[in-house]
């Protein structure tokens, strides 16, 4: 099931997007208090914005705007809203999103074409290993998408390997939707309990929340570790509440396909100008066809690089590489720029290390200091020096390594209100310039 527009030429796709952009601008200017004010204040004539090249003339929308003016973004009467979702709140106060009937239909369409892109069909059975409650939009999207595809779903929820395996053995799903590092816990449980996972019904996993490939689309360490044990197809999917749209990999597994009928994607540098093709930059999106809370040029804070070459699957749409990290979490270390996921990937290489938290601090002159906290293990002098060598060789950084108790680790990882365990703590102070 490939939407017709995604097989069309780049020029036709662009033309469709521009028409929908003009619609979105008219709609937000009429119905969104936030955008009406923003356009007025910035002296924007929305009728002058006609093409994608005109986008830089429009102001950007930030996470800060969403937090400060949340209610002003809503374009519909309260009675029209059928679902309230919230952002995860990993970076600040959670923001709520209302969804109308039309938005839920759009979300279902988005997830159906995304699952279908990742080879799931109406004959598939999908085991959902993430939460559906706690105002989590993705969980709802997966359910609606499977429903629209005509496939079946087993809603097990997050965690508990034993319960996951019970359901796999009972209902024989061929796909899982899961956080990839959890698959290692599944393998561990299976090995301890005599389950032959390579003979199980599962053949593919839609992987959320963590990168599974390097920037050149080769399997990263986490993926190699999983595939070294369990013979699976892993498909990356990247989405957020704000985008209400997913970028999912096809059978060729070379980046998440853009669905141009649902979202406009720009990749911008620090000055909000487009980066050169293939260069990393911040993903900035304009949602298309959203009724309750459309966003215009929203800065996602995620650093990505795009590929524009057509894919062997026939789709002519842009593909997004793995999220390199959050822009805010960029670490500047002696002339090198790195993001926490690169550090996670390196730590994942060590079987002995199960729990870690990375803490970043800065000194008076603004140089970042990296502290890696390891919990609950006995770290030999040998492992310590191998770790340090690895960081120096692969990432050209020399982090400080600290061993803490399991109790301290639990507090750091699960102490906050976040829906996900915390792996990165930023203690940097913004320095006055
Ligand atoms: Zn493809």
């Amino acid at each position: 099931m490939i939407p017709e527009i995604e097989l069309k030429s780049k020029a036709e796709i662009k033309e469709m997007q521009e028409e929908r952009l003009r619609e979105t601008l008219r709609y937000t200017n009429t119905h969104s208090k936030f955008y009406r004010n923003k356009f007025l204040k910035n002296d924007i004539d929305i009728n002058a914005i006609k093409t994608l090249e005109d986008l830089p003339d429009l102001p950007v929308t930030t996470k800060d705007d969403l937090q400060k003016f949340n209610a002003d973004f809503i374009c519909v009467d309260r009675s029209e809203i059928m679902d309230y979702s919230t952002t995860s709140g990993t970076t600040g106060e959670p923001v709520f999103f209302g969804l109308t009937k039309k938005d839920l239909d759009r979300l279902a369409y988005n997830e159906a074409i995304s699952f279908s892109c990742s080879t799931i069909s109406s004959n598939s059975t999908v085991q959902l290993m993430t939460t559906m409650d706690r105002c989590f939009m993705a969980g709802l999207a997966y359910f609606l998408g499977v429903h629209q595809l005509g496939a079946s779903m087993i809603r097990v929820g997050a965690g508990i390997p034993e319960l996951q395996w019970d359901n796999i053995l009972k209902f024989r799903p061929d796909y899982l939707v899961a956080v990839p590092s959890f698959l290692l816990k599944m393998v561990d449980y299976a090995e301890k309990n005599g389950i032959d996972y390579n003979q199980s019904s599962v053949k593919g996993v839609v992987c959320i929340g963590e990168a599974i490939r390097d920037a050149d689309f080769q399997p990263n360490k986490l993926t190699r570790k999983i595939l070294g044990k369990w013979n699976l197809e892993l498909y990356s999917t990247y989405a957020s509440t704000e985008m209400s749209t997913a970028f999912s990999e096809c059978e060729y597994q070379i980046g998440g396909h853009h669905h141009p009928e649902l979202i406009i994607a720009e990749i911008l540098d620090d000055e909000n100008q487009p980066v050169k093709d293939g260069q990393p930059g911040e993903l900035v999106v304009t949602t298309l066809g959203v009724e309750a809370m459309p966003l215009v040029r929203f800065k996602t804070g995620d650093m990505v690089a795009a590929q524009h070459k057509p894919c062997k699957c026939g789709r002519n749409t842009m593909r997004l590489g793995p999220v390199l990290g959050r822009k805010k979490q960029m670490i500047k270390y002696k002339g090198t720029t790195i993001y926490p996921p690169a550090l996670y990937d390196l730590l994942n290489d060590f079987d002995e290390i199960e729990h870690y938290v990375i803490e970043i601090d800065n000194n008076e002159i603004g140089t970042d200091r990296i502290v890696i906290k390891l919990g609950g293990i006995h770290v030999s002098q040998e492992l310590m020096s191998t770790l340090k060598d690895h960081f120096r060789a692969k990432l050209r950084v020399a982090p400080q390594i600290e061993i803490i108790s399991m109790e301290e680790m639990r507090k750091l990882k699960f102490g906050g209100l976040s829906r996900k365990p915390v792996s990165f703590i930023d203690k940097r102070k913004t320095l006055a310039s």
Side-chain angles (χ1 to χ4, degrees):
M1 187 178 87
I2 304 181
E4 225 174 285
I5 186 70
E6 300 183 14
L7 301 169
K8 294 235 166 107
S9 70
K10 297 251 185 219
E12 285 168 297
I13 291 175
K14 183 171 182 285
E15 198 184 320
M16 177 277 298
Q17 284 212 307
E18 289 172 346
E19 194 184 322
R20 304 211 68 187
L21 169 66
R22 293 190 292 266
E23 258 168 47
T24 301
L25 293 177
R26 281 194 299 272
Y27 180 80
T28 49
N29 194 43
T30 314
H31 299 282
S32 158
K33 187 176 166 195
F34 175 82
Y35 283 113
R36 197 169 46 243
N37 287 343
K38 186 133 186 154
F39 295 153
L40 207 64
K41 220 168 74 192
N42 288 277
D43 213 8
I44 304 289
D45 172 12
I46 54 156
N47 295 311
I49 312 293
K50 293 192 167 75
T51 67
L52 298 183
E53 288 78 11
D54 297 333
L55 279 169
D57 294 338
L58 285 172
V60 293
T61 306
T62 63
K63 290 198 176 185
D64 206 39
D65 290 331
L66 281 181
Q67 270 160 10
K68 272 197 195 128
F69 308 104
N70 202 163
D72 290 354
F73 280 87
I74 298 285
C75 295
V76 297
D77 187 76
R78 201 193 151 101
S79 63
E80 302 286 311
I81 293 176
M82 297 187 83
D83 182 79
Y84 288 99
S85 291
T86 57
T87 56
S88 60
T90 31
T91 49
E93 271 289 290
V95 168
F96 79 85
F97 274 72
L99 290 97
T100 63
K101 171 79 174 73
K102 193 180 159 209
D103 292 335
L104 289 173
D105 289 345
R106 180 188 170 283
L107 197 64
Y109 168 81
N110 157 72
E111 208 55 53
I113 60 173
S114 297
F115 275 150
S116 163
C117 190
S118 301
T119 71
I120 295 176
S121 73
S122 59
N123 297 321
S124 304
T125 301
V126 181
Q127 181 152 319
L128 183 67
M129 294 165 62
T130 72
T131 183
M132 263 192 77
D133 57 4
R134 299 182 77 179
C135 299
F136 185 45
M137 188 192 278
L140 178 66
Y142 301 136
F143 176 77
L144 294 173
V146 159
H147 178 73
Q148 176 139 338
L149 262 183
S152 317
M153 177 168 269
I154 312 158
R155 290 174 293 113
V156 181
I160 326 176
E162 182 180 1
L163 190 60
Q164 302 294 349
W165 276 117
D166 281 352
N167 283 281
I168 291 172
L169 298 174
K170 197 187 290 172
F171 298 114
R172 305 187 51 75
D174 39 2
Y175 289 89
L176 309 176
V177 176
V179 176
S181 57
F182 186 71
L183 297 173
L184 292 171
K185 295 212 170 70
M186 295 281 292
V187 166
D188 189 50
Y189 181 87
E191 284 178 346
K192 282 182 182 140
N193 292 276
I195 299 168
D196 186 354
Y197 43 90
N198 275 314
Q199 293 302 317
S200 79
S201 56
V202 180
K203 58 180 192 185
V205 183
V206 173
C207 294
I208 64 161
E210 293 167 342
I212 57 169
R213 295 184 211 295
D214 292 336
D216 56 0
F217 300 118
Q218 293 306 306
N220 64 11
K221 293 202 184 73
L222 173 63
T223 298
R224 286 206 299 272
K225 215 160 153 181
I226 297 164
L227 299 184
K229 291 273 190 183
W230 198 351
N231 184 22
L232 289 171
E233 294 294 334
L234 301 184
Y235 304 94
S236 174
T237 184
Y238 160 63
S240 68
T241 310
E242 294 93 336
M243 299 198 289
S244 306
T245 309
F247 292 79
S248 296
E249 287 186 329
C250 68
E251 67 267 36
Y252 295 99
Q253 301 170 350
I254 44 171
H257 274 287
H258 173 212
H259 301 302
E261 66 274 43
L262 297 176
I263 200 162
I264 293 171
E266 300 172 82
I267 297 173
L268 305 183
D269 65 18
D270 286 341
E271 274 74 51
N272 293 335
Q273 293 304 309
V275 296
K276 286 203 185 78
D277 253 15
Q279 290 300 306
E282 183 179 3
L283 179 67
V284 175
V285 297
T286 300
T287 55
L288 301 173
V290 170
E291 195 172 43
M293 204 165 146
L295 297 179
V296 176
R297 301 198 85 212
F298 171 71
K299 286 169 74 100
T300 64
D302 291 334
M303 298 297 288
V304 295
Q307 291 286 328
H308 293 273
K309 281 190 215 115
C311 182
K312 279 188 275 182
C313 69
R315 290 175 182 82
N316 275 324
T317 56
M318 176 266 270
R319 286 169 284 117
L320 279 191
V323 176
L324 304 169
R326 290 194 190 277
K327 189 172 180 168
K328 260 178 131 172
Q329 296 181 341
M330 184 172 80
I331 305 163
K332 288 196 166 163
Y333 190 90
K334 294 182 183 164
T336 315
T337 300
I338 40 172
Y339 296 93
L343 302 172
Y344 304 156
D345 197 40
L346 207 146
L347 288 164
N348 287 337
D349 215 12
F350 293 85
D351 287 332
E352 304 90 324
I353 298 170
E354 212 185 326
H355 301 283
Y356 56 79
V357 166
I358 295 168
E359 224 173 63
I360 307 295
D361 212 335
N362 57 3
N363 59 21
E364 320 70 55
I365 53 164
T367 309
D368 291 344
R369 194 171 69 106
I370 307 169
V371 183
I372 293 168
K373 298 195 169 177
L374 306 176
I377 52 161
H378 172 72
V379 179
S380 64
Q381 223 31 55
E382 202 188 335
L383 175 64
M384 202 75 139
S385 63
T386 318
L387 248 179
K388 284 188 172 163
D389 287 349
H390 250 67
F391 276 102
R392 258 194 299 271
K394 300 266 165 67
L395 298 171
R396 282 176 286 153
V397 298
Q400 192 178 319
I401 298 170
E402 276 176 22
I403 314 290
I404 60 172
S405 71
M406 249 342 262
E407 202 189 320
E408 259 180 282
M409 178 58 72
R410 248 191 297 274
K411 262 189 221 151
L412 281 179
K413 277 188 100 83
F414 304 100
L417 285 168
S418 171
R419 269 188 298 234
K420 300 171 214 157
V422 171
S423 301
F424 183 74
I425 297 169
D426 199 341
K427 290 187 157 174
R428 291 176 291 189
K429 289 171 198 76
T430 322
L431 298 162
S433 48

